[in-house]
Amino acid sequence: MKAWEATVRKTQAVAKKRANTIFGTYAAAPNVEEEMIEDYEEEEHPSGEVYQAERFLPNGDYYTGYWADNFPHGTGKYWWTDGCMYVGEWFRGKTMGKGTFSWPSGAMYEGNFKSGFMDGEGTYSSSNGDTYRGSWMMNFKHGRGIKEYANGDCYEGEWCRGLQEGQGKYQWKNGNYYVGEWKNGIICGKGKLCWTNGNVYEGNWEDGLPKGNGTFKWPDGSLYSGNWSKDPKDQNGTYYPAGSTLLDGNLEWDPQEVYNVDLKDCKVCPSEKVSILPSNKKLAMWRSTKASDSSTRPRRMSVDGRIDAGIDKEFARIPTPDAAAGRHSSAGTSDRNGMDESFAGLQIEDVSTRGSPIRIPKVVKKQGETISKGHKNYELMLNLQLGIRHSVGKPGPPPSLDLKPSAFDPKEKYWTRFPPEGSKNTPPHPSCEFRWKDYCPKVFRTLRLLFKVDPADYMLSICGNDALRELCSPGKSGSFFYLTNDDRYMIKTMKKAEVKVLLRMLNAYYNHVRAFENTLVIKYFGLHCVRLNGPAQKKVRFIIMGNLFCTDYTIHRRYDLKGSTFGRITDKPESEIDANTTLKDLDLDFIFRLQKNWFQEFRRQVDRDCEFLEQERIMDYSLLVGLHFREATNSCDHTPPGCVTPTGNYQLKPSDMDQLLLDPAGWASIRLGVNMPAKVERTERKNDGEIQLVGEPTGEYYDVIIFFSIIDILQDYDISKKLEHAYKSIQYDPTSISAVDPKQYSRRFRDYIFKVFAEDI
C-alpha cells in the first residue's frame, strides 16, 4: 500500500507538472519532478510499432507494459488512482485476452476479457469470500459454472445473464440439496429437494417454493401426493402412511409443515453486487510532450475505446441547423478553453482511427402531427378508438394458445354498427355513424397474449385521452401511418390485397411466432376495418403492430435494408436529413458487430424467418435497423436542458448503460433485436465508378444500442410484381431490383444481411 501511495503521489506530481507545461502555465517545481518530466520526452516511434513503455498519465493513473500508437497494446499493467488494477493482455487500448482485474476491496477476476468486458472462461473471487468459476459473457456469469458461497453453500449448473437459469444443483452447507430447474435465480420448474434426514420432495416449484403437482416422501415409505400451494385454500392432496396402498389414503397430514419447518433453512444466497465493472473504468489519454498541437485539451477514454467528449465539427452527411449560422467555427475555439454548453451535437472520434468523425444529429421532436379537432382524419381516429375499445373490452372466455382451425378462417369476421346515439352494445359518441369490422378476433386476442400485451395497457395506449399522431407523409405503398402517444404501437392503413395476404398466411404466421420466441418478424396485434356511412361507403382497413423504436434511447440513425441497389438511396437533400430520416442500403456506411452468442442466434433466426417468408411466397420485405450511439450520452452537458428524446422523456446518463448491464432487470429488457449492446464499424466505398453495396471496413468502431426487425411482410409475388420484374429487367440489372422471385429474394436478402452483420472480434 505504501508503494502504491508513493506511485500515486509521483504520478500526480508529474501530471501536474505536465499540465502546466502543456497549457503554458509553468511554475517552479522540485528537481525530481523535472528529472521525471525528461523521461516523457522520448524519441518518436513509427505508427504501428509495439514497444516497452512506462506512462505516468495526466490524471494520476500509471501504466507499464507494451505500447503502440498512444494505446496499451500487448501485455501490460494499469493502475487506477482508486486502487483498481488490471494486469494482462491489451489490444489497442482495450482489455482483450487473458488478464487479471483486481478491486481495492480485495475482489479479483482472473480469466478472459473481450473489448473491456469479462467474457469467456474466468474465476471471480468476491471480497465477501464467494468464488465463481465458469463461463462469462459481457461481465455476467453466462453458461456453465460453479459458485461456492462464503457460508458454505454451493451451486453448480447453468447461468444466464448473471443468474441461475436452466438445470442446476444447489447444495446447502447442512447437506440438503436441490436438483432441477431454475429461472431468474430462483428455483422454478420441475425439481427435487433432498434433506439429510431422508425426506424428499419431487415435483413442481414456483418462486422457490413447491407449487403444483408434487410428492413428499419420508424415509419410512410414507408419502403425500397432490397439488401444493403456500395458500392452504389451494392445496389438495392425499397422505399415504407407510405400508398402505393407494386405497388407504387419508388427509391427516398437513403439507403446510413443509413450508413452515422443512423449507425454513433452505434459502438461496443472493447474488453479490459489484460496485464497478472493468468496462466502467476509464483509460486516461496519453499525449507526448512532443505533440504537434500542444494546446489540445486532454480527453479521457474508456477501456473499450469510448471517448467521453470531443470537439464539435461538421459531419458532411448530417449537418445541424446551427452550422448554417457559422456556429461551428466559434465552437471549435471554445472547446480548447472549456466545453461550450450550447453545442447542438456530439462528435464521436477515436484518435486511433481515420476518416471523418461522426456527427450525431441534435435531438428532434416526436414524429408526426397530432390529430386534434379540425384535422381531416379526426373522426376516423375517434372511430378507430371506439372500435378498439369495443373489441378488446368485450367479455369472453380466456384465450387458449391452442386454437381451432376455424379461428383462422378468412370468413371469421364480425361487423358492428356504431350509431351516434349508441346502441345495446355500443356507447353514444360525437362522431358520425360508422360500421366496425374485426378480422379473426380470437387469433389476434391470442397473439396479444402470446406477445405479453396487457389488454388494459393496450386500450389505454390506443384509446386513452391522448390523441394519435399521423406521420407527415405516406409511405411508398400509399399507406398512412399513425403512432400512439406513448409510441408503443403503430397503426398502418392497408390495401385490400394486403389484408388478403395476411389472412391467407395468418395460421402459418401464428405457428411461426409461437414456435420462435426470438423471431424478428414484426408483431401484429389486430386487423380491423372502418366503413364510413354516406354515399361513398368508404372503407379504411388497418393493422396494429408494435413500434420497434419504442425506447427511452434516442434513435440517432435508422436504416431500411433489402440487399438491392436500384433506388436504394435516400432522395432527400442532405440539409433535410435528421434522426427521423430512414436511410437505405446505399446510405449505409457501417458493419454491425454483435457479440458471438447473439450473432449465432441472429443468423439462426434470420434463416428461420426467411424460410418462413419464402414458403409463404412473400418478397420485398426489409430489415429495419435503429442505432443509438452510446457516446452521445457521454456528453450530456452538450444536450439542451429539458430536451425530449424521440421515443421517451429522458436521456440516459453516462453510467446508465453499465448500470443497465449490472442490473438483472435491465438485462430482462434485452433480447434479440431489442436494446442490444453492440458495436458498429465504419466502412468506406471505393470511388471507382461501380456501385458498391457494402463498403470496406476502416477499423473505426463505435459502441451502440441496436434495434432491428423484419418489416413489410405482406407483399406476395403476384402478377403485378411479376410484370414489374419483367419491365425493370429490360432497363436495369435484374439482380439490382427489389421485385424478384421469393426464393431469389430470400437468398439475396440473407447474403446481404450476413455481410453487414458480423461477429464482434
Side-chain angles (χ1 to χ4, degrees), residues 435 530-540:
R435 296 188 71 191
V530 170
R531 188 170 75 183
L532 305 176
N533 277 5
Q537 294 283 304
K538 180 183 178 184
K539 286 185 180 180
V540 181

Side-chain angles (χ1 to χ4, degrees), residues 476 560-568 585 618-622 715 717 721 724-725 728 732-742 744-746 748:
K476 185 179 179 182
D560 181 273
L561 306 175
K562 292 186 176 183
S564 55
T565 56
F566 178 73
R568 301 299 296 163
D585 302 65
I618 301 297
M619 42 78 66
D620 214 21
Y621 46 88
S622 57
Q715 178 61 61
Y717 196 53
K721 286 295 178 181
E724 180 185 344
H725 173 77
K728 289 185 176 178
Y732 310 102
D733 180 1
T735 62
S736 71
I737 59 179
S738 295
V740 294
D741 175 84
Q744 182 184 346
Y745 191 95
S746 172
R748 183 181 66 186

Side-chain angles (χ1 to χ4, degrees), residues 14-24 26 33-44 51 54-58 67 70 285-296 298:
V14 173
K16 181 178 179 182
K17 176 69 175 180
R18 280 180 51 75
N20 290 336
T21 304
I22 290 174
F23 293 101
Y26 183 83
E33 293 185 18
E34 292 178 2
E35 291 174 3
M36 293 182 71
I37 287 295
E38 292 175 2
D39 294 339
Y40 285 84
E41 298 179 0
E42 57 184 31
E43 62 180 87
E44 294 291 334
Y51 58 96
E54 184 178 33
R55 296 286 182 251
F56 296 91
L57 299 165
W67 193 267
N70 292 332
M285 194 69 190
W286 162 257
R287 292 186 183 277
S288 170
T289 54
K290 291 188 176 183
S292 58
D293 183 6
S294 62
S295 65
T296 304

Side-chain angles (χ1 to χ4, degrees), residues 457-721:
D457 291 340
Y458 183 70
M459 276 199 295
L460 189 62
S461 291
I462 301 173
C463 313
N465 295 328
D466 296 315
L468 303 177
R469 302 197 313 275
E470 182 180 74
L471 297 193
C472 297
S473 60
K476 185 179 179 182
S477 64
S479 299
F480 283 84
F481 293 86
Y482 303 91
L483 280 171
T484 57
N485 188 64
D486 60 5
D487 289 307
R488 287 188 179 184
Y489 304 103
M490 182 173 284
I491 301 167
K492 175 188 176 185
T493 61
M494 301 179 70
K495 298 176 181 177
K496 186 176 181 179
E498 292 177 311
V499 173
K500 287 184 175 180
V501 170
L502 179 55
L503 293 176
R504 172 180 61 77
M505 62 182 283
L506 188 57
N507 198 336
Y509 172 83
Y510 176 82
N511 292 332
H512 182 77
V513 298
R514 184 181 178 185
F516 303 109
E517 185 180 5
N518 284 335
T519 180
L520 300 177
V521 172
I522 191 166
K523 292 179 170 60
Y524 291 134
F525 302 114
L527 180 61
H528 311 281
C529 176
V530 170
R531 188 170 75 183
L532 305 176
N533 277 5
Q537 294 283 304
K538 180 183 178 184
K539 286 185 180 180
V540 181
R541 303 170 184 87
F542 55 89
I543 185 82
I544 301 174
M545 49 195 177
N547 177 19
L548 176 65
F549 300 142
C550 178
T551 172
D552 290 319
Y553 294 114
T554 302
I555 301 299
H556 297 121
R557 291 285 182 85
R558 302 163 191 250
Y559 295 95
D560 181 273
L561 306 175
K562 292 186 176 183
S564 55
T565 56
F566 178 73
R568 301 299 296 163
I569 191 168
T570 304
D571 55 3
K572 278 187 175 183
E574 292 180 357
S575 59
E576 295 181 14
I577 293 177
D578 59 21
N580 286 332
T581 302
T582 301
L583 304 173
K584 300 180 183 179
D585 302 65
L586 294 179
D587 300 307
L588 180 64
D589 54 357
F590 293 114
I591 290 175
F592 311 111
R593 296 199 174 274
L594 306 181
Q595 194 273 340
K596 180 179 179 180
N597 292 353
W598 281 121
F599 179 68
Q600 292 173 348
E601 176 61 23
F602 171 76
R603 286 190 64 104
R604 286 192 293 266
Q605 195 56 55
V606 169
D607 283 335
R608 294 168 185 149
D609 291 339
C610 288
E611 286 167 6
F612 156 67
L613 295 172
E614 183 182 329
Q615 289 169 3
E616 294 303 312
R617 301 292 293 166
I618 301 297
M619 42 78 66
D620 214 21
Y621 46 88
S622 57
L623 188 74
L624 180 64
V625 179
L627 299 178
H628 165 82
F629 286 89
R630 285 169 56 181
E631 288 86 346
T633 62
N634 285 346
S635 191
C636 291
D637 53 341
H638 305 311
T639 306
C643 70
V644 178
T645 67
T647 52
N649 57 6
Y650 66 92
Q651 270 197 311
L652 295 181
K653 296 176 182 177
S655 60
D656 283 352
M657 169 45 54
D658 292 301
Q659 188 60 38
L660 171 70
L661 298 178
L662 194 62
D663 181 10
W667 264 100
S669 68
I670 301 174
R671 55 186 176 83
L672 188 67
V674 178
N675 287 340
M676 290 182 62
K679 283 184 171 60
V680 294
E681 181 179 5
R682 287 279 302 267
T683 59
E684 291 181 356
R685 290 181 172 85
K686 298 176 181 177
N687 296 322
D688 55 5
E690 293 186 5
I691 295 177
Q692 189 177 5
L693 189 56
V694 182
E696 300 295 327
T698 64
E700 190 175 330
Y701 293 88
Y702 306 101
D703 290 309
V704 297
I705 303 297
I706 190 169
F707 301 77
F708 46 83
S709 177
I710 296 176
I711 63 169
D712 296 338
I713 63 167
L714 300 179
Q715 178 61 61
D716 63 352
Y717 196 53
D718 57 12
I719 186 64
S720 65
K721 286 295 178 181

Side-chain angles (χ1 to χ4, degrees), residues 243-301:
S244 64
T245 67
L246 294 177
L247 299 176
D248 299 329
N250 60 70
L251 301 174
E252 294 180 359
W253 182 75
D254 184 3
Q256 292 299 309
E257 183 180 332
V258 173
Y259 295 98
N260 300 327
V261 180
D262 295 80
L263 292 172
K264 186 177 180 181
D265 297 325
C266 297
K267 305 295 183 184
V268 175
C269 291
S271 298
E272 75 279 2
K273 296 288 184 180
V274 181
S275 58
I276 187 167
L277 296 167
S279 54
N280 290 94
K281 297 303 295 177
K282 301 296 180 182
L283 177 63
M285 194 69 190
W286 162 257
R287 292 186 183 277
S288 170
T289 54
K290 291 188 176 183
S292 58
D293 183 6
S294 62
S295 65
T296 304
R297 177 184 173 188
R299 294 177 295 167
R300 290 170 60 80
M301 177 182 290

